[in-house]
């Protein structure tokens, strides 16, 4: 079976270490990820801003890239969520619509694949640190990825999970929202970062680099040293330590 | 800040005012938190919340799909009960009908309760213009009226005020200093309003649900004043949006389960009144004359629009406001319309059918979906916001700079060669601005972002550049896959083809 990596443009360009962690972690279970080079961006920035024609041009690279994959795994609930919008995006295009529907069915967020499909709960990691978790909105609300990350973290030896106050509140990223409504977004991310600090955790972990980039950016802006990691990185790091 | 005058301002400017108002932010946070925690607890206690949400949604979908039928049934039955039923296509018409009644009964004062629709119509203003005094009798509305503002929340109109501000307002009205104590303040208002009830000529209310099978209207409230408004004055006028209908009392059971829990976390409000026609001979009290004005005012524009029809399912519980992280920071007045929060951001432009005028409201959302998750009838507001944005772009009213930017986006993202080149150029360009691995520059497109954050720099080597080496490394010591895992993967692939894939979209 062909399991493909949908890296997402953000992880490709800014956080390649997240993709690397996913590749290494899945390899431990005998999953050899395939990486189609024609993929670019899921088109979400254009889609959410109302530029659907432009979004389709970008989405086409994703549809082509994964046409013959059996599973498409991404490190972002939001980008996988965008693929779930493809049937709507291509609703008036009889040629692309079936491809969009097919891709939706075979797309998974990383922990969804690991826990739901492979049935892995314990990756055998050791990570003796205080960790707090931000559940990103699109992954948790729209894809319903809620228990998977918690299940994985519960099985990491030494990991102390500190609940994040108001965890389910949006971090204020929202793509172009952060630029268009900069002050509202700023108020939201500042509050989120305040809550992260309140936990006194050493590490903030999440499933979506866009949100984590947003929160980490604010934490760093204010001189805070909390480490910010994608869960795949934390797990891979923990496996190496075990 | 005053909510009455939005004179040409943008949502950004109005939000700016709110963000700088510490009192407002504190007050809004405090109350929305209380309400949403209450709602969460009530939903958990209920035990079967999602199933009931779906029931509620089905009832609303069915009713709106057959709205013509149920409206007629309702009107027929209400008329049989002796009610004067009026249909108003526009806001102006609804106002005209109301004023005519007021003139005919020579009204001097109107006592009001529970009506966002009259806010939508600016009815108090109109009554005032013909010399009729309108008095709001819900505590929160009364405060707002004293302050000369508009409600900033669907069910808690004065949510943006703290009790000290409220004490100041009421003290001015009382002519003596009242302590910022909720019981004392409410007591003062109750006494003050009692006189008004007795002398009022007309009682005016909204309506939470209108029951088609008996032509009755149902009101939920906690203060008891709506009951006074509907029983004491001789003439009663109810203004209702045309979508308030539900078919039967059996359906009300579902709605009565969803509404109070979603609104305040209560199992039931203190009072729930069902009103079926004016006073009958044997009745002890009640109005002698009763009118129901059914208001369209842009609502029927949503009928038959697959992207927006579900807006009419809204039961005005306010849960989406309480869950919204944007509302939490900017309150209701920043939205600039009668209805605020996520529902307002979609409903206001939808009712106006004028996307361009209200365009910026649709941008005041991070699309986090908290509204959808909170909504007792599962209205996908987060998706509607995107549809609004798209309609504006399709109408050629997109921001010029953004339109150019998106063209560029499509050119780069639609073609992997250009994408790779763009990343290389970006890496060269950023050498000028990256310090200690981050970018702090506050100009150009990064200005807003970097006012609150450090921007990360592009990686020295992209994932795709690293892939070839990484893949070789992995291949050299790849393990054999566990047969049970293999089996699981095959099963997952099979099941999703049969439509049983466990990962659907849109399940809140
Ligand atoms: S949209 Fe839903 S949550 Fe918001 S007020 Fe209407 S019914 Fe309540």
């Amino acid at each position: 079976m062909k399991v493909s990596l949908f890296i997402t443009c953000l992880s490709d360009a800014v956080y390649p270490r997240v993709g690397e962690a996913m590749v290494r972690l899945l390899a431990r279970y005998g999953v050899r990820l395939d990486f189609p080079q024609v993929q670019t961006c899921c088109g979400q920035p254009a889609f959410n801003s109302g530029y659907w024609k432009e979004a389709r041009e970008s989405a086409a690279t994703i549809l082509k890239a994964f046409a013959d994959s059996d599973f498409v795994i991404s490190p972002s609930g939001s980008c996988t969520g965008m693929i779930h919008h493809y049937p709507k995006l291509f609703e008036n295009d009889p040629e692309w619509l079936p491809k969009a529907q097919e891709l939706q069915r075979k797309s998974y967020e990383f922990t969804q694949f690991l826990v739901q499909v492979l049935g892995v709960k314990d990756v055998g990691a050791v990570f003796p640190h205080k960790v707090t978790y931000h559940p990103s909105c699109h992954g948790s609300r729209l894809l319903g990825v809620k228990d998977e990350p918690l299940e994985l973290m519960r099985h990491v030896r030494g990991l102390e999970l500190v609940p994040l106050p108001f965890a389910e509140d949006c971090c204020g990223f929202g793509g172009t929202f952060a630029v268009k409504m900069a002050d509202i977004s700023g108020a939201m991310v500042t509050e989120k970062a305040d809550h992260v600090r309140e936990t006194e955790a050493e590490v903030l972990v999440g499933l979506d680099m866009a949100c984590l980039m947003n929160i980490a950016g604010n934490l760093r802006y204010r001189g805070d040293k909390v480490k910010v990691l994608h869960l795949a990185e934390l797990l891979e790091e923990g496996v190496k330590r075990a | 800040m005053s909510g009455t005058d939005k004179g040409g301002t943008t949502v950004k400017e109005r939000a700016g005012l709110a963000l700088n108002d510490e009192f407002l932010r504190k007050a809004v946070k405090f109350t929305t938190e209380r309400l949403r925690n209450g709602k969460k607890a009530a939903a958990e206690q209920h035990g079967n919340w999602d199933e009931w949400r779906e029931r509620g949604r089905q009832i609303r979908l069915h009713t709106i799909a057959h709205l013509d039928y149920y409206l007629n049934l309702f009107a027929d039955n209400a008329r049989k009960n002796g009610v004067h039923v009026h249909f108003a296509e526009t806001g102006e018409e609804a106002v005209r009908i109301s004023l005519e009644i007021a003139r005919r009964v020579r009204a001097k004062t109107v006592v009001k309760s529970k009506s966002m629709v009259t806010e939508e119509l600016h009815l108090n203003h109109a009554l005032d213009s013909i010399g009729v005094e309108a008095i709001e009798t819900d505590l929160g509305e009364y405060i707002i009226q004293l302050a000369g503002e508009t409600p900033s929340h669907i069910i808690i109109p004065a949510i943006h005020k703290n009790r000290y501000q409220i004490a100041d307002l009421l003290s001015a009205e009382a002519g003596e200093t009242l302590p910022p104590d909720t019981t004392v303040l409410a007591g003062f208002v109750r006494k003050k309003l009692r006189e008004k009830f007795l002398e009022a000529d007309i009682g005016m209310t909204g309506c939470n649900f209108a029951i088609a099978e008996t032509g009755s209207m149902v009101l939920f409230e906690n203060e008891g004043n709506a009951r006074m408004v509907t029983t004491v004055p001789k003439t009663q006028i109810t203004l209702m949006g045309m979508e308030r209908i539900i078919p039967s009392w059996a359906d009300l059971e579902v709605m009565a389960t969803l509404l109070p829990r979603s609104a305040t976390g209560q199992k039931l409000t203190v009072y729930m009144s069902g009103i079926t026609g004016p006073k009958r001979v044997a009745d002890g009290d009640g109005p002698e004359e009763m009118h129901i004005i059914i208001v369209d005012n842009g609502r029927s524009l949503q009928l038959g629009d697959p992207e927006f029809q579900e807006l009419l399912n809204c039961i005005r519980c306010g849960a989406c406001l309480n869950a919204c992280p944007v509302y939490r920071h900017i309150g209701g007045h920043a939205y600039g319309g009668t209805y605020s929060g996520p529902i307002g951001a979609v409903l206001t432009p939808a009712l106006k059918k004028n996307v361009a005028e209200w365009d910026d409201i649709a941008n005041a959302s991070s699309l986090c979906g908290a509204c959808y998750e909170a909504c007792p009838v599962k209205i996908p507001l987060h998706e509607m916001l995107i549809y609004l944005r798209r309609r504006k772009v399709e109408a050629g009213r997109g921001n010029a700079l953004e339109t150019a930017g998106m063209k560029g986006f499509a050119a780069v993202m639609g073609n992997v060669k250009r994408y790779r080149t763009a990343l290389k150029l970006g890496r060269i360009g950023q050498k000028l601005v990256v310090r200690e691995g981050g970018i702090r520059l506050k100009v150009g497109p990064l200005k807003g972002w970097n006012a609150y954050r450090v921007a990360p720099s592009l990686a020295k080597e992209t994932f795709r550049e690293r892939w070839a080496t990484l893949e070789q490394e992995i291949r050299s010591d790849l393990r054999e896959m566990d047969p049970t895992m293999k089996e699981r993967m095959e099963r997952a692939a099979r099941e999703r083809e049969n439509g049983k894939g466990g990962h659907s979209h849109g399940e809140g």
Side-chain angles (χ1 to χ4, degrees), chain B residues 154 313-321 343 371 374-377 379 381:
Chain B
I154 298 179
N313 294 0
C314 174
I315 58 171
R316 304 282 190 273
C317 70
C320 55
L321 282 66
I343 178 67
C371 45
C375 180
V377 288
I379 302 176
L381 293 169

Side-chain angles (χ1 to χ4, degrees), chain A residues 20 40 70 183 191 214, chain B residues 328 413 452-453 466 496:
Chain A
E20 188 170 335
T40 61
D70 294 299
D183 293 331
E191 187 178 18
N214 181 39
Chain B
R328 176 180 171 82
M413 295 303 185
Y452 299 93
R453 311 163 190 84
R466 193 177 292 187
R496 70 186 185 215

